[in-house]
Amino acid sequence: MELRGTGDLAVVIERATGSVQILDTSSRTSIGQVKGLGDLSHASIVYSRDARYAYVFGRDGGLTKIDILEQKIVKRVIQSGNSIGGAISQDGRLLAVSNYTPGGVKVFNSSTLELIADIPAVGNNGLRSKVVGLVDAPGQQFVFSLYDAGEIWIVDFSDGKPEIRKFTDIGLLPYDGLISGNGRFYIAGLFGEDGLALLDLWNIQDGVKRILSDYGKGQRKMPVYKMPHLEGWAITDNYAFLPAVGRNTVLVVDRNTWKEVKQIPVHGQPIFVMSRPDGRQVWVNYAFPNNDTVEVIDTLTLEKMKTLKPGKAVLHMEFTPRGEHVWISARDNNWIKVFDTDTFEVLTTLPAKKPSGIFMSSRAHQTGL
Amino acid sequence: MELRGTGDLAVVIERATGSVQILDTSSRTSIGQVKGLGDLSHASIVYSRDARYAYVFGRDGGLTKIDILEQKIVKRVIQSGNSIGGAISQDGRLLAVSNYTPGGVKVFNSSTLELIADIPAVGNNGLRSKVVGLVDAPGQQFVFSLYDAGEIWIVDFSDGKPEIRKFTDIGLLPYDGLISGNGRFYIAGLFGEDGLALLDLWNIQDGVKRILSDYGKGQRKMPVYKMPHLEGWAITDNYAFLPAVGRNTVLVVDRNTWKEVKQIPVHGQPIFVMSRPDGRQVWVNYAFPNNDTVEVIDTLTLEKMKTLKPGKAVLHMEFTPRGEHVWISARDNNWIKVFDTDTFEVLTTLPAKKPSGIFMSSRAHQTGL
């Protein structure tokens, strides 16, 4: 292997084959593949702070450390029966994994994958809960939600051992969570009722508040093909752009008051609503049966400006860190397309086996991804 | 040389010896030195998009491409008589350098350092002007100011060749410029009059506006030991924190209206007023004779929360990308200190010869640095 920088590399999940491809986003080529990663049907990735190692969280509870320079598995552990995602601490030394079965969070040394802490998610109701919406936050913290118990927990590792702070009765069945890019606001989506739970980490004494009380399935109980992802929510200078649940709508919300500013009609039930890094555009993909389409919203006019058809079953979009390109995976076409975000031209099409999430190594330097 | 990731590397300028050190911000050690870079008395650095190459812009007009993995100079050109700084295009392919003598901007291929465009800065007054405040902006643009002519120019390379848009009569003697982190607002500081010139790149048809009409030396014409740097201006969710010119004050300004919210009295004339990446703290260093001190401002209370004495002649501060540490150079102590931004503890002290700017490789992924 030759020396090379790791700032322009990416990893894409090939969900059907338990493999990943390593991509070079400068030459826009695939430079390798790593196999043997288990069930990747709902997998995600975080990066070491030197952007050399990718940690893959698999649905089967597998946690795999990949060396993207040597293109090989460094270590792999099966850490639970069923996991949903993970996060890496601010200093890069701790990996936290959120688990469904048994419900809880396990924390590992990111260098050795040795277990450091095992935190069972036993809620105020005395029952063990699934854990969802796990994110990292500044100050060596992890924040997550207890699905069955309706709680949000903060675990602080700044003194080396876990110190837990619990917020109970935050709402029924939190199913996912996100943290704002600066690591201040943690928001949990609720499956069991309308509204969202907001925790301001700069003012935790204020506790969890309910915002956007209309947000959710509402009275009409529309069929929801897939609950939208929260992680991708676009938060720009003035607005947050949110996928409405079960409706062909993107909601524009004032970022300071959390009041609705506008409803933008779109092509389908939105899944990811993602901001180009400069905030000038928001890109949206959709649930089945409208998942062949991506639409682009102009964040100044709050109108749709472009419709694209990247392929069948568009699962994920990842912007280059400075926003000039976006990489889009189309599962059922077995390809990834790279678009210029200015001209909307397709620059490259790369083959991949049932591609889903695309993760660029610049994530190493960001909070809450 | 062994394989290694480049996400956690940094380069520090050693101004007296024309050298740089390469730093590992994970182990907090120096891993090498590169010499022969000419006059680095006012030098800056940008990174290639793979975070392998550092481009050093020297005061003597030297432009040097350093391989931080192999720790050697790849190529060095003397591109003008006297230069002040540079920027790298959104796609990483173009390097722009701003020059005093002769005044203008030269644009190079970042791979080969071949000259691609030479843009003399001849203002509306027919005279060739010094160029200052050069930054990159989304859409393959560079933005800069003409000191003598009082103009702001945008050069757009999205079609391969430069297309120039000029804004004249923007104010007297713009001496520096900055662009907001999202690449939207370009602000030039004025040496010849009070106020600042603001260009909204999302609405360029509105032209350049004057903001903060009191900002500057004002009526009293205090002795100004050193004009503050604009690049480091802290722009958080709600506020911008600005160094007052010639006064022992940090100004807090509403980010939407550009009206002053508060004046915070500080220890000296501020030079850099920099936000921790999460926006929870603002760190300030000072001009001579108060340049042994750094103060930290709490951005919720808008009060000073900590005073530090990192050494004699504190020239620069650089946060790790996720904000857990800050690296501070103290020129006259010949050292760099690494502080924990939570506990304010000194984690490491590293020797360096007259250190000034510290540049982390994660800058590769950011706009306008």
Side-chain angles (χ1 to χ4, degrees):
Chain A
M1 291 288 167
E2 286 181 10
L3 289 176
R4 60 160 299 149
T6 52
D8 58 348
L9 298 181
V11 171
V12 58
I13 303 286
E14 296 183 306
R15 53 190 287 154
T17 47
S19 56
V20 298
Q21 279 191 47
I22 300 166
L23 309 169
D24 174 338
T25 69
S26 294
S27 64
R28 300 195 290 270
T29 55
S30 172
I31 59 170
Q33 193 187 37
V34 178
K35 297 178 182 176
L37 302 169
D39 179 358
L40 299 185
S41 61
H42 195 287
S44 65
I45 283 177
V46 298
Y47 282 92
S48 62
R49 80 192 294 285
D50 63 356
R52 174 173 182 171
Y53 301 102
Y55 301 94
V56 184
F57 306 101
R59 189 55 177 264
D60 56 1
L63 167 61
T64 312
K65 179 177 181 177
I66 293 174
D67 181 338
I68 59 173
L69 282 176
E70 299 212 46
Q71 304 185 357
K72 66 176 192 191
I73 292 174
V74 178
K75 189 151 188 187
R76 174 169 164 80
V77 297
I78 300 293
Q79 57 82 38
S80 85
N82 190 334
S83 89
I84 182 77
I88 188 161
S89 64
Q90 185 181 30
D91 71 356
R93 294 187 184 183
L94 304 176
L95 278 174
V97 191
S98 61
N99 291 316
Y100 274 7
T101 320
V105 170
K106 285 189 179 171
V107 179
F108 297 87
N109 177 314
S110 65
S111 174
T112 62
L113 300 195
E114 281 174 292
L115 185 69
I116 286 177
D118 186 355
I119 302 165
V122 178
N124 207 20
N125 58 10
L127 303 175
R128 197 148 177 175
S129 176
K130 294 189 195 74
V131 172
V132 298
L134 171 68
V135 300
D136 58 280
Q140 289 291 95
Q141 298 182 103
F142 296 108
V143 189
F144 52 88
S145 297
L146 277 61
Y147 178 80
D148 307 288
E151 301 184 9
I152 294 173
W153 290 12
I154 300 173
V155 182
D156 184 332
F157 277 90
S158 55
D159 288 331
K161 53 182 193 299
E163 199 172 294
I164 303 177
R165 182 151 182 164
K166 302 175 183 181
F167 299 86
T168 56
D169 296 319
I170 64 103
L172 288 177
L173 305 178
Y175 73 94
D176 197 4
L178 72 86
I179 194 162
S180 58
N182 63 358
R184 177 172 180 177
F185 296 108
Y186 180 80
I187 299 174
L190 301 173
F191 192 73
E193 59 184 292
D194 285 349
L196 296 159
L198 172 76
L199 179 59
D200 178 353
L201 296 177
W202 293 11
N203 292 298
I204 58 170
Q205 71 285 355
D206 293 349
V208 175
K209 293 178 180 167
R210 195 65 55 85
I211 57 169
L212 285 170
S213 57
D214 295 336
Y215 186 83
K217 289 177 286 184
Q219 299 285 326
R220 290 173 57 201
K221 304 281 184 205
M222 299 276 288
V224 178
Y225 297 110
K226 180 169 167 48
M227 290 299 281
H229 275 278
L230 271 68
E231 186 195 296
W233 280 13
I235 301 185
T236 64
D237 264 12
N238 300 309
Y239 303 120
F241 293 80
L242 317 184
V245 178
R247 285 185 296 144
N248 295 3
T249 304
V250 167
L251 304 175
V252 186
V253 172
D254 183 294
R255 226 182 53 144
N256 290 307
T257 62
W258 296 102
K259 302 286 180 208
E260 195 176 292
V261 173
K262 186 173 179 179
Q263 302 194 357
I264 302 175
V266 290
H267 180 73
Q269 294 188 6
I271 297 293
F272 280 109
V273 176
M274 309 187 78
S275 170
R276 198 172 73 172
D278 67 348
R280 188 66 186 80
Q281 298 172 352
V282 164
W283 291 55
V284 190
N285 73 338
Y286 301 102
F288 179 85
N290 297 308
N291 55 358
D292 63 338
T293 298
V294 166
E295 288 178 307
V296 184
I297 294 168
D298 179 320
T299 61
L300 268 188
T301 63
L302 306 182
E303 304 281 351
K304 281 190 290 187
M305 61 180 287
K306 191 75 187 176
T307 301
L308 300 166
K309 300 281 182 185
K312 293 179 204 158
V314 169
L315 294 191
H316 198 231
M317 305 176 283
E318 176 91 338
F319 291 94
T320 52
R322 293 170 70 189
E324 72 277 20
H325 304 149
V326 62
W327 290 56
I328 297 181
S329 57
R331 185 192 60 203
D332 296 350
N333 285 116
N334 295 299
W335 69 41
I336 298 162
K337 283 192 183 282
V338 183
F339 288 84
D340 182 312
T341 63
D342 202 22
T343 62
F344 304 106
E345 189 188 344
V346 176
L347 301 175
T348 314
T349 303
L350 294 174
K353 289 178 190 142
K354 303 290 174 200
S356 60
I358 305 170
F359 301 87
M360 295 202 187
S361 65
S362 53
R363 287 174 172 249
H365 313 302
Q366 291 181 278
T367 295
L369 290 186
Chain B
M1 292 287 166
E2 286 181 11
L3 289 176
R4 61 159 300 151
T6 50
D8 58 348
L9 298 181
V11 171
V12 58
I13 302 285
E14 297 183 305
R15 53 190 286 154
T17 47
S19 56
V20 299
Q21 280 190 48
I22 299 167
L23 309 169
D24 175 338
T25 69
S26 294
S27 63
R28 299 194 291 270
T29 55
S30 173
I31 59 170
Q33 193 188 37
V34 178
K35 297 178 182 176
L37 302 170
D39 179 359
L40 299 185
S41 61
H42 195 287
S44 64
I45 284 178
V46 298
Y47 283 92
S48 61
R49 81 193 293 285
D50 63 357
R52 175 173 183 172
Y53 300 102
Y55 300 94
V56 184
F57 306 101
R59 189 55 177 263
D60 56 1
L63 167 60
T64 312
K65 179 177 181 176
I66 294 174
D67 181 338
I68 60 174
L69 283 175
E70 298 212 47
Q71 305 185 356
K72 66 175 192 193
I73 292 174
V74 177
K75 188 150 188 188
R76 174 167 165 81
V77 296
I78 299 295
Q79 57 83 39
S80 84
N82 191 334
S83 88
I84 182 77
I88 189 162
S89 64
Q90 185 180 32
D91 71 356
R93 294 187 186 183
L94 304 176
L95 279 174
V97 191
S98 61
N99 291 316
Y100 274 6
T101 319
V105 171
K106 285 188 180 173
V107 179
F108 298 87
N109 177 314
S110 66
S111 173
T112 61
L113 300 194
E114 279 174 293
L115 185 69
I116 287 177
D118 186 355
I119 301 165
V122 178
N124 208 20
N125 57 11
L127 303 175
R128 196 150 178 173
S129 176
K130 294 189 194 72
V131 172
V132 298
L134 171 69
V135 300
D136 57 279
Q140 290 290 96
Q141 297 181 105
F142 295 108
V143 189
F144 52 87
S145 298
L146 278 61
Y147 178 79
D148 307 286
E151 300 185 11
I152 294 173
W153 289 13
I154 300 173
V155 181
D156 184 332
F157 277 89
S158 56
D159 288 330
K161 54 181 192 298
E163 197 172 296
I164 303 176
R165 182 151 180 161
K166 302 175 183 179
F167 299 86
T168 55
D169 296 319
I170 65 101
L172 287 179
L173 306 176
Y175 74 94
D176 198 3
L178 71 85
I179 194 162
S180 57
N182 63 359
R184 176 172 179 177
F185 296 107
Y186 180 81
I187 299 174
L190 302 174
F191 192 74
E193 60 185 292
D194 284 350
L196 295 159
L198 172 75
L199 179 60
D200 178 353
L201 296 177
W202 293 11
N203 291 298
I204 57 168
Q205 71 285 355
D206 293 349
V208 175
K209 290 178 182 169
R210 194 65 55 85
I211 58 168
L212 285 170
S213 57
D214 295 335
Y215 186 82
K217 288 176 286 183
Q219 298 284 326
R220 290 174 57 200
K221 304 281 183 204
M222 299 277 289
V224 178
Y225 296 111
K226 179 169 165 50
M227 290 300 280
H229 274 280
L230 271 68
E231 187 195 298
W233 280 13
I235 301 183
T236 65
D237 264 13
N238 299 310
Y239 303 121
F241 294 79
L242 318 185
V245 177
R247 285 184 297 144
N248 294 4
T249 305
V250 168
L251 304 175
V252 186
V253 171
D254 184 295
R255 226 184 52 144
N256 290 305
T257 62
W258 296 104
K259 301 285 179 206
E260 193 176 293
V261 172
K262 186 174 177 178
Q263 302 195 355
I264 302 174
V266 289
H267 180 72
Q269 294 188 6
I271 297 292
F272 280 108
V273 176
M274 308 187 79
S275 171
R276 198 172 71 171
D278 66 348
R280 187 66 186 80
Q281 298 172 351
V282 163
W283 291 55
V284 190
N285 73 337
Y286 300 103
F288 179 86
N290 297 308
N291 56 356
D292 64 337
T293 299
V294 166
E295 290 179 306
V296 184
I297 294 168
D298 180 321
T299 61
L300 268 188
T301 63
L302 306 183
E303 304 281 350
K304 279 189 290 186
M305 60 180 288
K306 192 75 186 175
T307 300
L308 300 166
K309 299 282 181 187
K312 293 179 204 157
V314 170
L315 293 192
H316 198 231
M317 305 177 284
E318 176 91 337
F319 291 94
T320 52
R322 292 170 71 190
E324 72 278 19
H325 303 150
V326 63
W327 290 57
I328 297 182
S329 57
R331 184 191 61 202
D332 296 350
N333 284 116
N334 294 300
W335 71 38
I336 298 163
K337 284 193 182 284
V338 183
F339 288 84
D340 182 311
T341 63
D342 203 21
T343 62
F344 304 106
E345 189 188 344
V346 175
L347 301 175
T348 314
T349 303
L350 294 174
K353 288 179 192 142
K354 304 290 175 198
S356 60
I358 305 171
F359 301 87
M360 296 203 186
S361 64
S362 53
R363 287 175 173 247
H365 313 303
Q366 292 181 278
T367 295
L369 290 185

